[in-house]
Amino acid sequence: MNLKRTWLVVPAALALGLSACSGGNAGSSSSSQSGTVEATPDAIITVNGSEPQNPLLPGNTNEVGGGKLVDLLFAGLIYYDAKGEAHNDMAESIEPNEDSSVWTIKLKKGQKFSDGTEVKAHNFIEAWNKVTDPKSPMLNTNFFVPIEGTDKEGVGMLTGLKADEDDYGFTVTLKEPTSDFGLRLGYSAFYPLPDSTLENPEAGGEMPIANGPYKLKDENAWEHNSRIQLVANPDYKGERQPKNGGITVVFYASLDAAFADLQSGVLDVLDAIPDSAFSTYEGDLKGRSVNQPAAIFQSFAIPESLEHFSGEEGKLRREAISYAIDRETITKKVFQDTRTPAKDFSSPVIPGFMDSISGNDVLTYNPKKAKELWEKADAISPWSGKFTIAYNSDGGHQAWVDAATNSIKNALGIEAEGNPYPEFKSLRTDITNRTIKGAFRTGWQADYPSMLNFLSPIYATGAGSNDTDYSSKEFDGLLAQASSAPTVDEANEFLYKAQEVLLKDLPVIPLWYANVVGGWAEGVNNVTFDWHSVPVYTDITKN
């Protein structure tokens, strides 16, 4: 598919042609279709989630628990629909110059935050500068690397931003042509912040002032480690108008508990199925479930800081461990074909995906080769200790971690086992603080539908989600060439070469691509899971 530069003008909608299938109205019940029971438009929909790692500031949120919430509370310049197609939200138009090095953005007038203040250009410009502030940079600085004023990690005052005199538009000057920059603007790092949060980010993170489809119910809406209650935001005038009265996100300690609540009708929508129910959930839910491709890549990371995993020894051991994992058997027996063994570092639903990148044989099961490589590493420095993979117990990961470590143990003849954390937040804290003592589970749910998004935020030097501190000049150079390519197809050619570098270095061990598997309760209708596995919450209704 050729995505020409001129397609990125976004006057009304930006068609990406994403191949992910939408569930449509798969959740519509027969009673609703017959007209005997009507949906209640003010009904509150209960869904599963997890306690955010940080306060709800879009520029400082790069994990699923918080990301789900900021996407409901905030609206950016564009948004992505269920198929991954981009539509204007706060933006009236987004237009590049001839070589895509300068972007002119015009805002719709009359768009407001939930405190009644208007959304203007400075709310974007100052919010973005909060992310890249050299004194206290936030997690998502990497998304701002292309803009003039930042360093290679995206830190620095954004001199490339200039507001129009009327404050209803601004220009973005980039360091070099970037053909897909307009496509990136629907990601949460680019959301605006109201004046009150710009003045006091700490307070704004705990009590977000929304400009999206939902807002906090009241000052007690966020019950930490329990739930958060959102209600429809009457000040939001965009296309994503809620068809329900609100969303209550319940923070579950385990997917098994969430699935039990779904079956009993306590929970309305569940966006993941516990591995214990993979073989039975479709029968249990009787037509109220989904199993479809999504833009999700799963892996585990092995930091170079760990003993035996630096230099040539570490390279050999990473290759050995990758060859030692029987992905085909694990995806069939543990996941019941709700996962597909990985062939690269992206996702099959992303435009340009290729399953034959040079060097991806390292992702096949070959215990003989794994043992040979391990012995070569032992010749450099004999192995000692136990290989562990950390995971969060509240995410349904134990079964695959046990299977993967058993596969490693059997192939290499070493001790290997899982290292469970009670919940996602504590795992992420140790990863962020670099205090974790072994390998750890990782993954990526796409921010925007582009192969570049699967690579740059995770593996670029200094990137916000680069949890292993991986750094490669060759890889970074290929990313830069891809970013400045005039078309997506030309960019992808550089990204295939960048992935060849990753397949040699293996900063993470690719495992599989995840389908979105989820379900909904009886009487809940219009449930659609989008291109990157998230329910389209605004469309959900119930009787």
Side-chain angles (χ1 to χ4, degrees), residues 361-441:
D361 59 305
V362 75
L363 306 182
T364 59
Y365 180 53
N366 189 333
K368 181 179 179 181
K369 190 163 187 176
K371 187 67 173 176
E372 290 173 356
L373 289 165
W374 197 258
E375 289 174 352
K376 286 183 179 180
D378 279 345
I380 297 173
S381 176
W383 173 257
S384 59
K386 181 187 299 183
F387 183 78
T388 61
I389 301 176
Y391 65 94
N392 51 303
S393 299
D394 61 350
H397 299 287
Q398 180 178 353
W400 76 255
V401 171
D402 287 349
T405 51
N406 280 334
S407 188
I408 292 167
K409 183 184 343 182
N410 293 335
L412 301 179
I414 64 172
E415 286 189 82
E417 65 183 21
N419 174 22
Y421 279 66
E423 80 292 310
F424 181 71
K425 184 175 181 178
S426 60
L427 172 63
R428 285 301 311 170
T429 297
D430 272 3
I431 293 171
T432 301
N433 293 339
R434 305 299 192 259
T435 53
I436 199 156
K437 301 301 182 183
F440 52 90
R441 81 157 193 91

Side-chain angles (χ1 to χ4, degrees), residues 268-283:
D268 292 324
V269 180
L270 178 64
D271 64 8
I273 299 294
D275 50 39
S276 60
F278 278 149
S279 61
T280 62
Y281 78 97
E282 291 178 308

Side-chain angles (χ1 to χ4, degrees), residues 287-507:
R288 293 177 283 107
S289 65
V290 65
N291 180 7
Q292 71 185 36
I296 303 175
F297 165 84
Q298 295 182 324
S299 56
F300 65 85
I302 309 175
E304 283 194 44
S305 59
L306 297 180
E307 187 179 6
H308 297 296
F309 284 99
S310 61
E312 181 63 18
E313 180 194 357
K315 183 178 182 297
L316 290 167
R317 294 203 188 279
R318 284 184 176 79
E319 288 183 52
I321 286 170
S322 186
Y323 278 117
I325 300 170
D326 190 350
R327 295 166 179 81
E328 291 282 350
T329 298
I330 293 172
T331 54
K332 286 184 180 297
K333 292 189 175 181
V334 174
F335 289 115
Q336 301 291 314
D337 291 321
T338 62
R339 304 289 189 274
T340 304
K343 300 296 183 183
D344 79 333
F345 290 79
S346 67
S347 163
V349 306
I350 295 298
F353 168 79
M354 186 170 70
D355 64 2
S356 56
I357 294 174
S358 178
N360 72 352
D361 59 305
V362 75
L363 306 182
T364 59
Y365 180 53
N366 189 333
K368 181 179 179 181
K369 190 163 187 176
K371 187 67 173 176
E372 290 173 356
L373 289 165
W374 197 258
E375 289 174 352
K376 286 183 179 180
D378 279 345
I380 297 173
S381 176
W383 173 257
S384 59
K386 181 187 299 183
F387 183 78
T388 61
I389 301 176
Y391 65 94
N392 51 303
S393 299
D394 61 350
H397 299 287
Q398 180 178 353
W400 76 255
V401 171
D402 287 349
T405 51
N406 280 334
S407 188
I408 292 167
K409 183 184 343 182
N410 293 335
L412 301 179
I414 64 172
E415 286 189 82
E417 65 183 21
N419 174 22
Y421 279 66
E423 80 292 310
F424 181 71
K425 184 175 181 178
S426 60
L427 172 63
R428 285 301 311 170
T429 297
D430 272 3
I431 293 171
T432 301
N433 293 339
R434 305 299 192 259
T435 53
I436 199 156
K437 301 301 182 183
F440 52 90
R441 81 157 193 91
T442 51
W444 191 254
Q445 183 179 34
D447 305 309
Y448 58 93
S450 164
M451 192 185 303
L452 188 65
N453 180 240
F454 278 87
L455 305 180
S456 181
I458 315 172
Y459 313 113
T461 300
S465 296
N466 187 341
D467 291 326
T468 64
D469 299 318
Y470 172 71
S471 181
S472 163
K473 289 183 178 179
E474 182 182 6
F475 178 80
D476 290 345
L478 289 164
L479 284 189
Q481 289 176 283
S483 183
S484 60
T487 69
V488 170
D489 283 350
E490 290 172 89
N492 285 342
E493 292 299 321
F494 291 110
L495 296 178
Y496 300 143
K497 294 178 181 178
Q499 292 206 62
E500 291 178 17
V501 176
L502 295 181
L503 287 165
K504 293 176 183 177
D505 294 344
L506 292 174

Side-chain angles (χ1 to χ4, degrees), residues 7-30:
W7 288 26
L8 293 169
V9 176
V10 205
L14 172 62
L16 308 178
L18 191 66
S19 60
C21 54
S22 165
N25 288 332
S28 297
S29 69
S30 58

